[in-house]
């Protein structure tokens, strides 16, 4: 049993590193676009494709895919099994719901990466198109506009949570590093959370706009939100700061891979959680 928990811990750390690599590429490409015409503003799937085109790209993406699946599994443990001890109150359930959404997101990224390795090309690489597709589907459902608006407001809520992390550096509580390491880890985390907060605020705002106008073309993914920011009057400087912040968050994820407190659930606790879920509470 101890070996299983140790295996899950290392898989989670590997996942944080893979997530960091993808985010770092997104930030660096955006930073290049901010300072020269040679950059490419893209989201996570575009970053994976960029890695794929590099020397040894197939091997790198295969490794990244394993890490992304590992991160998705860890997020699932955090969400379903409450590995972080968030509890079952409203705040804890909201955090765990967000972790569950993150698990699905990184599972999808892992599947996309595997598709590249297997030679299936870059189908579905446009994150904006994917976001618009599911927004369009959601709008066709009963109370669809309300559902899209609810998703948008949830994303805005997550953005505000990231802003709080940037302001308070509360993420430090989940890290096990000495004061010397904290001097560079904490600023990276604050800059990263601040940048992600602004990007997610834009994504949520676009979803609310899509709901208001009942127009899925208004929805944006990560790359679309960055492009919208870049296109604003006097937005180039802010865009450069956000790009730098995203790169900082990528570096921070590598620090999380090293220093984060990982508490894999015990098998008996996991079984009890599954039984509670099967009983509906």
């Amino acid at each position: 049993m101890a070996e299983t928990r140790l295996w899950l811990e290392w898989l989670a750390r590997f996942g944080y590193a893979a997530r960091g690599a993808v985010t770092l590429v997104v930030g660096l490409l955006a930073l290049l676009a901010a300072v020269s015409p040679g950059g490419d503003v893209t989201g996570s799937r575009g970053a994976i494709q960029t890695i794929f085109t590099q020397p040894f790209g197939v091997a790198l993406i295969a490794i990244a895919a394993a890490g992304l699946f590992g991160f998705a599994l860890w997020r699932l443990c955090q969400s379903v099994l409450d590995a972080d001890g968030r509890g079952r109150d409203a705040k804890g359930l909201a955090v765990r719901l967000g972790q569950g959404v993150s698990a699905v997101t990184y599972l999808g990224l892992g599947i996309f990466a595997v598709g590249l390795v297997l030679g299936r090309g870059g189908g579905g690489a446009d994150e904006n198109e994917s976001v618009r597709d599911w927004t369009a589907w959601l709008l066709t459902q009963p109370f669809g506009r309300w559902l899209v608006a609810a998703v948008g407001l949830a994303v805005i809520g997550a953005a505000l949570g990231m802003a709080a992390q940037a302001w308070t550096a509360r993420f430090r509580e989940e890290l096990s590093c000495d004061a010397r390491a904290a001097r560079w880890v904490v600023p990276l985390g604050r800059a990263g959370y601040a940048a992600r907060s602004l990007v997610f605020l834009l994504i949520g705002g676009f979803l609310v706009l899509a709901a208001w106008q009942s127009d899925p073309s208004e929805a944006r993914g990560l790359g679309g939100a960055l492009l919208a920011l870049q296109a604003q009057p006097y937005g180039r400087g802010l865009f450069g700061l956000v790009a730098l912040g995203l790169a900082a968050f990528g570096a921070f994820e590598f620090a999380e891979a090293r220093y984060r407190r990982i508490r894999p659930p015990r098998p008996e606790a996991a079984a009890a959680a599954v039984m509670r879920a099967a009983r509906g509470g």
Side-chain angles (χ1 to χ4, degrees), residues 183-210:
R183 280 199 293 269
W184 61 269
V185 172
V186 172
L188 283 176
R190 297 186 101 152
Y193 275 113
R196 281 170 58 84
S197 172
L198 181 55
V199 172
F200 274 71
L201 190 63
L202 289 171
I203 293 172
F206 280 123
L207 283 171
V208 172
L209 181 62

Side-chain angles (χ1 to χ4, degrees), residues 23-164:
T23 306
L24 184 61
V25 171
V26 171
L28 291 177
L29 289 174
L31 189 59
L32 184 60
V35 300
S36 74
D40 185 20
V41 180
T42 186
S44 299
R45 292 191 178 189
I48 290 173
Q49 281 194 311
T50 299
I51 297 171
F52 182 70
T53 60
Q54 304 309 304
F56 308 105
V58 173
L60 291 173
I61 289 302
I63 294 170
L68 292 170
F69 286 133
F71 190 73
L73 177 60
W74 172 241
R75 280 299 202 216
L76 190 65
C77 288
Q78 289 175 302
S79 176
V80 177
L81 303 181
D82 196 16
D84 290 338
R86 299 288 185 178
R88 298 168 63 83
D89 59 9
K91 181 179 179 181
L93 289 175
V95 172
R96 291 169 62 185
L97 177 61
Q99 290 168 336
V101 173
S102 180
V104 174
T105 299
Y106 285 97
L107 177 62
L109 283 177
I111 293 172
F112 174 75
V114 169
L116 288 177
V117 172
L118 296 179
R120 295 176 183 169
D126 189 337
E127 290 183 345
N128 287 325
E129 183 180 344
S130 177
V131 170
R132 288 165 183 161
D133 284 346
W134 70 254
T135 302
W137 175 81
L138 208 55
L139 284 171
T140 64
Q141 306 307 306
F143 306 104
R145 293 176 66 180
W146 292 102
L147 292 173
V148 173
V151 173
L153 291 174
V155 173
I156 291 173
L160 295 177
M162 294 174 194

Side-chain angles (χ1 to χ4, degrees), residues 268-281:
E268 57 271 22
V274 171
M275 292 297 295
R276 284 197 301 272
R279 294 195 300 267

